[in-house]
Amino acid sequence: MSSEPVVTFSHVYKKYSKQQVLNNSLREELVSVITGRHCSDKLNEGEFWAIRDICLAVEKGQCIGLSGHNGSGKSTILKLISNITYPSLGKIRVQGRVAPLIELGAGMHPDLTGLENIYMNGTILGLSIRELKRDIEKIVEFSGLDDFIKIPVKKYSSGMYLRLAFSIAVHSPADIFLFDEVLAVGDESFQAKCMERIKSILSQNGTILVVSHDTLALHQICDSIVTLEHGVAISGVKP
Amino acid sequence: MIHRLYTYKDLLLVFIWREFLIRYKQTAIGIFWAIMQPVSLMLLFTFIFGVVLQTTGKNYPYPLFYFAGVLPWTFFAGATNFAVTSLSGNFNLITKIYFPREIIPLSGVAINFIDYLIGLAVYFLLLLCYHTPLTWNFIWLFPLLAMLFMYTTSVSLLLAALNVYYRDVKLASTFLLQFLFFATPVIYSIDAVDIRWKLLLFVNPLTFIVENMRRVTIEGRGVILWQFGIEMLCVILLYLAISKIFTRIERAFADVI
């Protein structure tokens, strides 16, 4: 399985600020509208590096696990891949459609029915209305919600909610899937179904990046695991 | 910005549809709320200025005069009011998933525009009731609508983006909107204003829009071309500047929100 990498990080740095009111940041952004991209590699007061000097090269069909303590920068890497936030320094290249499952059920509204929320959450994940119309039966069937799909989501149990959200997510025709601590969803039979689905994504040459504390589960599905500590990769795949 | 929106058009459509559904779900009279607000404001102004204070302004019916002013105002106020908290209130979306951020404030502009169009239908019924002779000059309404839409979009985007950085914007916008209401000729006519103040009031594009919307429908006269040209140019430049700033600073929204 050696092909052109679909996700490439070269010496990526990301800094965050601890301050609450960011008086400087708006001014900096406005200045950069005129002067072009500019970011200093020095830390201002109250800033810290979330990740430092990260190099990654993920190939098509690979499954990469990211592990590490809270605040070690795992989620930041996923956010950088999915364009939610941008690197302070370094370059990131992503090829293909990304399905960022950083939070399940993003955009779902409690007053809307399950069916209506499939369209809401699906389009947020980057699916078109046409794709959703085509796959809607498969999604409903996978979730196992049957008749409950027609009632407002606010009446769901939390398990039902997550099952619906996960079903929408894994039916995305994306090339790259990002999972952030979302593997432990639903009961045992649903989890088994999810594992199967993940394996079928991989067999269809999809790429997966998983963030989890559960190293046992990671070893089960991942080709290689990157361990992060304080924003620095201490072991894992070579770029 | 427009090219980017085209690739995400489905999401924008679903957002508009969602806001529309949420708005009228579990309501008794549903879509009638769209005309309730402008109609009740129109009745109130007619009562206060026509019956109680007995002001004499233009020589055409009070209900027409006020409704023509109230409609664009409620659209502008509704859309900007929605926009201010639209991004900061959806922080769980902004920090968890990528999509063009302008979609959220724009969906607010869109649903308020739908309400506005419903109000316009009522307005045309009212024009018929008062046997107002319509001339071809009412075609001017469409460029004026476009101008109002563009201006409202610009202000909405700006307020939404600024409120991500400073929550003061939400607090300030509430009373700034009240100021702006009096700076817009909704309850008076600009003709009654002294020339010195007239120029100042025309800095606000809404003044031009509201005045001319009355002029092209009720009075049946055309707009003055050079005035329209200047105002349109200003609105377009404002839109271009704000959309440029927005697309630049939205990259940092997830970090600062």
Side-chain angles (χ1 to χ4, degrees):
Chain A
M1 271 198 287
S2 66
S3 56
E4 182 84 341
V6 282
V7 179
T8 326
F9 274 53
S10 49
H11 305 287
V12 173
Y13 290 73
K14 176 72 190 177
K15 65 179 167 193
Y16 278 117
S17 176
K18 289 178 197 161
Q19 276 163 342
Q20 253 228 310
V21 177
L22 298 128
N23 294 313
N24 295 322
S25 62
L26 182 60
R27 203 183 317 140
E28 272 170 28
E29 292 291 340
L30 286 177
V31 167
S32 71
V33 171
I34 302 156
T35 58
R37 190 95 186 108
H38 158 79
C39 189
S40 85
D41 52 358
K42 285 193 211 91
L43 289 177
N44 290 323
E45 203 191 316
E47 289 180 331
F48 65 97
W49 293 114
I51 58 168
R52 263 177 301 167
D53 203 18
I54 297 287
C55 293
L56 267 179
V58 184
E59 279 161 20
K60 215 172 187 168
Q62 267 192 322
C63 178
I64 305 289
L66 298 168
S67 74
H69 296 291
N70 281 330
S72 58
K74 306 181 298 286
S75 300
T76 305
I77 291 181
L78 295 195
K79 284 184 179 179
L80 286 167
I81 296 173
S82 56
N83 269 346
I84 294 167
T85 185
Y86 295 81
S88 308
L89 283 172
K91 279 214 162 60
I92 295 171
R93 225 190 53 201
V94 178
Q95 280 181 316
R97 275 169 82 175
V98 179
L101 316 178
I102 292 174
E103 189 181 63
L104 284 174
M108 294 232 252
H109 195 280
D111 278 337
L112 301 180
T113 68
L115 221 46
E116 288 164 345
N117 270 313
I118 290 178
Y119 284 100
M120 194 60 236
N121 185 233
T123 43
I124 279 196
L125 290 177
L127 280 83
S128 67
I129 295 173
R130 187 185 294 174
E131 284 169 331
L132 282 164
K133 274 196 177 137
R134 195 190 58 208
D135 289 342
I136 196 123
E137 278 170 23
K138 274 195 265 173
I139 295 172
V140 175
E141 199 197 299
F142 191 89
S143 72
L145 283 170
D146 302 323
D147 289 342
F148 283 102
I149 204 74
K150 287 186 183 120
I151 65 168
V153 163
K154 63 184 170 190
K155 300 198 170 143
Y156 283 19
S157 71
S158 50
M160 288 159 74
Y161 182 86
L162 287 173
R163 257 155 56 198
L164 176 65
F166 198 84
S167 309
I168 305 165
V170 293
H171 281 85
S172 164
D175 311 298
I176 303 158
F177 289 79
L178 312 176
F179 292 101
D180 192 350
E181 306 280 5
V182 293
L183 288 176
V185 169
D187 52 21
E188 265 176 43
S189 68
F190 191 75
Q191 276 192 28
K193 221 153 104 178
C194 295
M195 277 299 169
E196 223 167 90
R197 181 74 203 170
I198 286 174
K199 276 173 192 147
S200 88
I201 289 172
L202 288 171
S203 67
Q204 286 158 17
N205 234 357
T207 310
I208 298 182
L209 278 99
V210 197
V211 161
S212 182
H213 291 294
D214 188 354
T215 32
L216 212 68
L218 283 184
H219 278 292
Q220 246 179 1
I221 50 169
C222 297
D223 302 316
S224 58
I225 296 171
V226 181
T227 309
L228 291 157
E229 210 176 277
H230 301 299
V232 185
I234 52 172
S235 74
V237 282
K238 287 269 173 283
Chain B
M1 184 178 264
I2 288 164
H3 171 75
R4 197 168 63 162
L5 274 178
Y6 185 74
T7 38
Y8 274 87
K9 64 179 186 315
D10 281 9
L11 181 59
L12 179 61
L13 282 177
V14 170
F15 252 110
I16 295 168
W17 167 79
R18 175 182 101 149
E19 289 303 332
F20 205 76
L21 278 184
I22 294 169
R23 225 209 261 209
Y24 299 122
K25 236 172 201 184
Q26 283 200 10
T27 59
I29 60 169
I31 193 91
F32 279 102
W33 279 114
I35 53 172
M36 275 292 275
Q37 201 195 350
V39 166
S40 55
L41 272 178
M42 178 266 281
L43 292 175
L44 176 73
F45 294 147
T46 307
F47 177 71
I48 291 178
F49 297 105
V51 181
V52 180
L53 296 175
Q54 300 202 328
T55 53
T56 47
K58 294 272 185 176
N59 55 352
Y60 40 77
Y62 286 106
L64 275 185
F65 179 82
Y66 293 120
F67 204 51
V70 160
L71 277 183
W73 173 257
T74 41
F75 163 61
F76 177 81
T80 47
N81 207 26
F82 176 98
V84 178
T85 51
S86 64
L87 291 175
S88 48
N90 278 305
F91 74 94
N92 54 336
L93 273 186
I94 308 264
T95 54
K96 295 285 156 51
I97 206 141
Y98 173 78
F99 54 89
R101 307 310 187 194
E102 63 269 25
I103 281 183
I104 306 182
L106 282 185
S107 67
V109 174
I111 48 165
N112 278 289
F113 196 68
I114 295 172
D115 284 356
Y116 179 37
L117 292 181
I118 297 168
L120 268 185
V122 177
Y123 177 60
F124 273 96
L125 283 179
L126 214 58
L127 282 172
L128 282 177
C129 289
Y130 281 98
H131 304 288
T132 317
L134 274 185
T135 65
W136 279 112
N137 277 324
F138 93 94
I139 301 279
W140 273 107
L141 193 61
F142 295 102
L144 287 170
L145 277 179
M147 197 163 149
L148 176 64
F149 190 87
M150 209 169 197
Y151 181 62
T152 308
T153 304
S154 314
V155 176
S156 299
L157 289 177
L158 183 69
L159 291 178
L162 286 179
N163 198 52
V164 170
Y165 288 87
Y166 303 99
R167 298 295 190 271
D168 313 55
V169 175
K170 166 69 196 152
L171 300 169
S173 71
T174 317
F175 74 82
L176 280 180
L177 265 180
Q178 280 170 359
F179 273 47
L180 203 58
F181 174 76
F182 290 105
T184 306
V186 178
I187 51 171
Y188 57 90
S189 166
I190 197 87
D191 295 348
V193 180
D194 188 81
I195 183 74
R196 281 176 304 170
W197 303 117
K198 232 182 208 172
L199 284 175
L200 185 67
L201 286 174
F202 269 112
V203 171
N204 168 20
L206 288 175
T207 302
F208 178 83
I209 294 166
V210 169
E211 271 300 308
N212 280 285
M213 279 184 170
R214 283 195 187 117
R215 190 181 161 110
V216 302
T217 51
I218 311 176
E219 295 176 24
R221 295 193 290 161
V223 302
I224 296 165
L225 213 53
W226 66 267
Q227 282 182 355
F228 180 79
I230 294 174
E231 292 278 343
M232 197 67 181
L233 188 70
C234 290
V235 170
I236 289 173
L237 288 178
L238 184 76
Y239 169 77
L240 290 177
I242 287 177
S243 65
K244 170 121 180 137
I245 292 172
F246 190 94
T247 42
R248 186 65 197 79
I249 66 175
E250 68 142 26
R251 295 161 62 98
F253 283 174
D255 298 345
V256 292
I257 202 161

